Structure formats: C-alpha cells, structure tokens
Amino acid sequence: MNNKPVFSRYTHEYAKEGKVALFNSLRLRPVFISQRLYDLVKSYINEGNNNLSETDLSLAKSTVEELKKQKVIIPDEKYDDMVIDRFKAITGKPAIRVTYFIMTDKCNFNCSYCFMMKEQEKGHLKRLGKMKPEVAKLALNTFAKWSYTNDEDDRMIIFYGGEPLLNFPIIRQIVLDAEKLKEEDKLAKDTKFAIVTNGSLLTDEIAVFMKEHKIGIGISIDGDSLVTNSSRVFVNGEPTFDKIMQAIDTCKRNGCDDFSLSVTISKSCLENFGNTIDFLVNKVESNNIGYNILMNLDGDEKESEEYAIAASKFIIKSFEIFRKKGIYEDRIMRKVKSFVDGKVHLFDCAACGGNQLVFAPDGSIGICHGFLGTKNYFSGSIFDPDFSPEKNQDFLEWSKRSPVNMEECQNCPALGICGGGCPFNAYQQEKSIWALDKRFCIHAKMTSEWLIWDLYQNSNKENQ
C-alpha cells in the first residue's frame, strides 16, 4: 500500500526574494519557508532518501510533518475529495436573509456606466414605474414569511432603484409595516434597513426618518467633482456633484453619521487616484466605503482585462490607506475576513447561495436585480400563494453557484476567498451564470497574493 504523502491539489506556491509561500486555497493558512527548504521537501517527496545528506533528510522529514499539519501536504488525493465535497454539501440550500425592494425603475440621473440604462438601450427594459402600496405590503409579507424561518442573524431589507427616493412614501410604509411585524413577532427583530441612493432627493425630513428607524444610507459618489461629474449627470445632462454633496451634508446635519459611500471605479477614478482618495478620506469623512467594479457591458476582452488589473490595484492601494484611518471598504474586507478567519467565502453576493429575494414594482419576484430589465430569473410572484424559494428552480440553481461547484475554479489560488464574483456580469459575457466573472477573477487572484505577502511582511515587522 502506497502511503506516500502528496501536495494537496489546492496548494499553491508563491515565490519572492528567496522565500516561498505555500497556500492551501481551502485552508487559507499560508506557510512561509525558504526556497532551499522547499526544494529539499520536493526532492524528498519525489525521490525519497536519494541524493540527500543525513542532515538534509532529517530537515526534509520534519518539514513534511509540519506541512501535513497545515494540510499543505496530505496523506493521499482522497483527502482533497473529502474536503471539497464537504464544502459542496453546504450549497444548494436556499435560505432567505436579504431582500431588495425595487421602489421604481425610474431615475433622475443618467450615469454613463449604469447597467440598467444599457438594458434600456438594448430595448430590454420595459418601464414598470413605481411600486404601489398593495404590492409593497404583499412583498413585505412574502419576505417575512421566508426570512423568519432562517436562523441567520443578518437579515436586511434594501431599498433600491432606479432612484428609490422617487417613491419615498412607499419606503415609509414598508418601514412602518415592518416595525409592526417585528412587534407582532412576524418578522425577525434583528432585520435591518438600508437604502442605496444618489442622494439628490434627500431632505432633512427624510434624513430624520432614516435616523429614527436606523436605516443605513448608502450614497453613490465616485470622487471629487471632476471624477463624479465625468460619469454621473442628471437626465438633462447637468452635473450632479454639488447635489450629492448637499445630501452628505444633510446626513451629517441630521445625525446620520454612519452613512456609507458607494464608489464606482470609473476610468476617471483610476486616473485621479490621489485626488479621489484625498476626497473620500479627508473631505467626505465616511468610515464606510463600498467599491463597485465596472461591469464589462461592451465585451472588449483586452480592455476589460486592463481595467480589471488597474481597478484591483486601486482597491488594494486604497485599502492600505483606509486601514490606517479605520475606514471599512466592503469589497476587499469580505476577502480579508475570509483570509483572517480561515473560513472559505462560498458566495460573494446574497443571490448566490439563494439567500436573496428581489421584488419588482409589478410584484414579480427575482433573485438578482441585475436581471430586472430582461426579467430572466424573475420566475416568482407575490400574488402566487404557492411561491417557495426552497422549491423554485431558479433559487435552487443560484444556491449552488459557488466556486467550489465550478470546475474552472478548482485550480485557482483564490478559490477560498473569491465567492464567485457577479453572475450577472458573467451572464452578460457568456449567457450563463456559471461562466466566470473574468474581471472579478483578476481582482480575487491579485487580492489573494497581496494578502499572503502582506501577512508575511507584517509578521516580520512584529518579530523584529
């Protein structure tokens, strides 16, 4: 019987300045050894006792035993099969914890990178208008029904658009109805609220309501006036920056101090890194930022790859600044948390995992708001009493959409921290949610390598 140890197929090597980082993409614990020691280990595994001195042989054996503990080296290939099967078994079980209420598909902005507008230009988008009171009430009851049975503790109701504040009266209704359902023990008491808005319609009255009901406010702004106005304009072509800044001032004036910024990494953003970071850190002074990587809607693969590399560098460089300032950037922190906790990040969005309901203004139910224009994956309805995300084929399919279930991802060093990116972006390119989100692949791989060497550098500093 051959008990010869082997390197896990999920082990990847990174070499730098005479050091090697051995990283099991499912264990997420890098092991750092010298290049010479790594060569000894490989020689021992491949050739046994041949050509090694007694001293080198002893060193190689002891190192192999340590690498076994770290799962960099495994007893046999069946061990890897057992591990990946364990992660696969977690998927395929829809459990609702997030919902998007599309308050309206109308917007008073005309942002150049908006995927909703691109869908409209293609003739896909049939205007649905504003969500009506009766639809909102049924939608809320549907979410309460399916989220209440979920044991997760991070339930969230998100108001989205278009521009959701075009329909603020219905937002108010939903929040007040939800609070009542909490009191009646029909909606989980830990359910939180959030809104993603361009801010142009935010008034003191609305801000006070948001503050009273603990509604997290996410305001879309990409940087200073030059950067923001290059991509974000009103429908009449007028610049939006000043109006957005008024909204930020309104938040601060009314005590909504935990507002966050939704920053899309446009080409102008990339070209003005210094000014953009200075603006976000020193001018706006928000402790929460979420970066959005542009979707590849035009299909130019070379340009898309160049953009993805530049955007990934932008995010990493930003994070190096933000962590010193105590600023939380959501996109990279998902990976940082996975890496630090040693916990595989199975899904990068709530739709993957089957954890999300999207309510369209007409009452149809989908799983991803990106498909609102085409209505792909909008196969449910609030008017159907038999609707069940646990039985709906779309939700069952999306609940499995994780890198651990994607063959192309198995050899990727970022397998454990990736989460799979955006299925909508993948669909735009390959007409399948199971295709790779190639821009996100680049971002995940670059972040994974950076995390490994950043850990090494910081560990060395602590030991000096």
Side-chain angles (χ1 to χ4, degrees), residues 2 19 48 50 52 107 126 134 145 156-157 163-164 166 168 288 321 327 339 343 366 369 418 422 425 429 436 451:
N2 183 12
K19 294 292 182 181
N50 300 333
L52 290 179
C107 189
K126 180 181 178 182
E134 58 272 20
K145 175 182 178 180
M156 179 74 74
I157 293 174
E163 171 47 48
L166 286 168
F168 177 69
N288 291 283
I321 297 170
I327 297 173
F339 183 80
K343 185 177 180 180
H369 47 281
C418 173
C422 176
N425 199 27
Q429 302 308 306
L436 297 178
L451 283 168

Side-chain angles (χ1 to χ4, degrees), residues 4 75 86 91 106 116 133 145 231 261 295 381 388 394 396 422 432:
K4 179 181 176 181
R86 189 181 71 206
T91 69
K106 296 180 182 295
M116 286 292 292
K145 175 182 178 180
S231 300
L261 303 180
M295 294 190 181
S381 172
S388 166
D394 287 348
L396 289 169
C422 176
S432 170

Side-chain angles (χ1 to χ4, degrees), residues 33-305:
I33 62 175
S34 69
Q35 182 69 57
R36 180 181 181 278
L37 184 53
Y38 182 45
D39 291 338
L40 284 180
V41 168
K42 288 191 294 183
S43 178
Y44 170 69
I45 288 178
N46 295 330
E47 302 172 19
N49 299 348
N50 300 333
N51 304 320
L52 290 179
S53 68
E54 186 175 332
T55 300
D56 285 345
L57 180 60
S58 175
L59 183 57
K61 285 182 176 179
S62 62
T63 303
V64 166
E65 290 307 309
E66 184 60 35
L67 293 179
K68 282 181 181 178
K69 295 177 184 178
Q70 302 300 326
K71 310 306 183 204
V72 168
I73 291 176
I74 55 177
D76 55 57
E77 294 179 357
K78 291 181 180 179
Y79 182 85
D80 277 339
D81 295 334
M82 177 189 71
V83 172
I84 194 67
D85 286 346
R86 189 181 71 206
F87 286 113
K88 288 180 177 180
I90 301 173
T91 69
K93 302 169 185 177
I96 302 302
R97 57 183 177 83
V98 176
T99 184
Y100 277 77
F101 280 79
I102 309 299
M103 303 312 303
T104 177
D105 55 11
K106 296 180 182 295
C107 189
N108 57 340
F109 277 22
N110 184 19
C111 303
S112 61
Y113 46 63
C114 180
F115 61 86
M116 286 292 292
M117 290 304 297
K118 291 288 184 182
E119 292 294 289
Q120 184 181 20
E121 291 166 6
K122 293 175 184 177
H124 289 166
L125 189 60
K126 180 181 178 182
R127 284 299 185 190
L128 302 173
K130 296 180 179 181
M131 181 175 286
K132 296 179 179 178
E134 58 272 20
V135 171
K137 189 172 288 292
L138 278 173
L140 179 61
N141 288 337
T142 300
F143 175 65
K145 175 182 178 180
W146 291 108
S147 69
Y148 196 68
T149 59
N150 179 9
D151 291 333
E152 296 287 343
D153 61 356
D154 53 354
R155 299 168 186 83
M156 179 74 74
I157 293 174
I158 301 172
F159 301 110
Y160 203 79
E163 171 47 48
L165 288 181
L166 286 168
N167 198 10
F168 177 69
I170 305 303
I171 292 177
R172 182 194 293 274
Q173 172 197 313
I174 293 170
V175 171
L176 295 179
D177 286 350
E179 298 289 9
K180 186 177 180 181
L181 289 177
K182 289 181 184 182
E183 293 174 2
E184 296 172 350
D185 205 29
K186 295 178 180 177
L187 178 66
K189 288 181 171 56
D190 58 12
T191 303
K192 299 178 179 64
F193 305 102
I195 185 170
V196 181
T197 173
N198 62 37
S200 63
L201 302 174
L202 188 65
T203 64
D204 288 323
E205 178 188 358
I206 293 174
V208 168
F209 181 83
M210 302 281 184
K211 172 71 174 178
E212 289 177 350
H213 295 276
K214 300 179 181 179
I215 302 173
I217 304 174
I219 298 176
S220 299
I221 189 169
D222 300 339
D224 60 15
S225 59
L226 172 66
V227 172
T228 296
N229 289 335
S230 68
S231 300
R232 303 179 64 78
V233 297
F234 284 102
V235 291
N236 63 3
E238 292 294 317
T240 62
F241 177 79
D242 289 344
K243 198 68 177 177
I244 299 171
M245 288 303 296
Q246 288 179 25
I248 291 172
D249 289 340
T250 299
C251 284
K252 293 179 179 179
R253 187 170 60 249
N254 290 283
C256 303
D257 299 322
D258 60 345
F259 69 92
S260 61
L261 303 180
S262 178
V263 178
T264 297
I265 306 175
S266 64
K267 292 180 180 179
S268 179
C269 199
L270 293 173
E271 293 167 356
N272 295 276
F273 176 84
N275 289 340
T276 298
I277 298 304
D278 177 65
F279 173 79
L280 295 176
V281 173
N282 300 318
K283 303 297 192 300
V284 180
E285 300 177 327
S286 172
N287 290 326
N288 291 283
I289 295 174
Y291 281 137
N292 304 306
I293 297 176
L294 285 173
M295 294 190 181
N296 184 17
L297 300 176
D298 299 321
D300 187 322
E301 192 163 330
K302 183 176 183 297
E303 183 178 341
S304 177
E305 182 177 342

